[in-house]
């Protein structure tokens, strides 16, 4: 029997409004408790080449994504009225959570803070690549 060397997981992202976040927190209290870091804010700083090769490859290739990220705790990178729910699971989302997301019309999104910032800079003419 071969040894599995790669952990397979699924990552789902949902962009929530302030109201949806509050509803979700209320529902989660029935099933979960926050850990000791539950009130911290995670900030990510992504690094790339001057030609933006990592993000371009990441956007073009849905399977393999390279990233160099420095993660810290501090102020949020999203708008004040937005939250990003990230669910990383090995098999399936808990049924109660799936029901909550469906009932509140919260749908999966493809969201990358770094990718969105890159696209904004391209659109605004701040960067140019050949």
């Amino acid at each position: 029997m071969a040894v599995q060397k790669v952990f397979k997981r699924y990552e789902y992202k949902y962009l929530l409004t302030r109201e949806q976040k509050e509803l979700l927190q209320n529902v989660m209290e029935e099933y979960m408790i926050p850990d000791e870091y539950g009130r911290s804010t995670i900030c990510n700083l992504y690094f790339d080449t001057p030609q933006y090769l990592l993000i371009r490859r990441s956007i073009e290739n849905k399977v393999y994504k390279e990233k160099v990220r420095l993660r810290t705790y501090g102020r949020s990178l999203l708008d004040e009225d937005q939250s990003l729910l990230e669910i990383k699971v090995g098999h399936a989302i808990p049924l109660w959570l799936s029901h909550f997301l469906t009932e509140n019309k919260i749908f999966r999104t493809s969201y990358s803070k770094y990718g969105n910032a890159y696209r904004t800079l391209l659109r605004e003419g701040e960067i140019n690549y050949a």
Side-chain angles (χ1 to χ4, degrees):
M1 183 168 137
V3 175
Q4 183 177 349
K5 296 181 179 180
V6 177
F7 176 76
K8 184 174 182 176
R9 72 172 183 189
Y10 300 92
E11 181 173 325
Y12 306 105
K13 296 181 181 183
Y14 303 84
L15 195 57
L16 307 177
T17 65
R18 179 176 292 156
E19 293 79 21
Q20 291 170 327
K21 176 187 170 189
E22 290 170 2
L23 286 170
L24 177 60
Q25 286 175 317
N26 290 336
V27 170
M28 285 183 137
E29 287 176 1
E30 297 177 35
Y31 302 94
M32 310 173 97
I33 59 169
D35 65 16
E36 62 183 287
Y37 303 103
R39 297 285 181 229
S40 63
T41 300
I42 299 172
C43 292
N44 298 308
L45 177 60
Y46 293 88
F47 296 87
D48 207 334
T49 68
Q51 296 78 28
Y52 299 96
L53 291 176
L54 296 180
I55 189 58
R56 287 176 28 215
R57 288 180 187 154
S58 178
I59 291 170
E60 294 165 2
N61 187 353
K62 300 294 181 193
V63 178
Y64 180 71
K65 297 180 184 283
E66 289 180 302
K67 64 176 92 169
V68 178
R69 173 178 65 199
L70 173 63
R71 179 171 278 171
T72 60
Y73 298 86
R75 77 171 179 72
S76 176
L77 298 177
L78 295 171
D79 292 341
E80 279 186 31
D81 62 339
Q82 291 182 320
S83 295
L84 185 64
L85 171 65
E86 294 184 58
I87 302 170
K88 298 176 184 181
V89 293
H91 297 288
I93 296 173
L95 196 54
W96 63 267
L97 182 53
S98 180
H99 287 307
F100 172 83
L101 295 170
T102 301
E103 290 166 4
N104 289 279
K105 296 178 176 49
I106 301 171
F107 305 106
R108 282 179 33 196
T109 187
S110 174
Y111 188 85
S112 163
K113 291 180 283 272
Y114 179 51
N116 286 346
Y118 173 75
R119 287 186 188 106
T120 299
L121 291 173
L122 277 176
R123 202 172 32 251
E124 295 175 353
E126 294 287 326
I127 60 172
N128 190 355
Y129 70 87

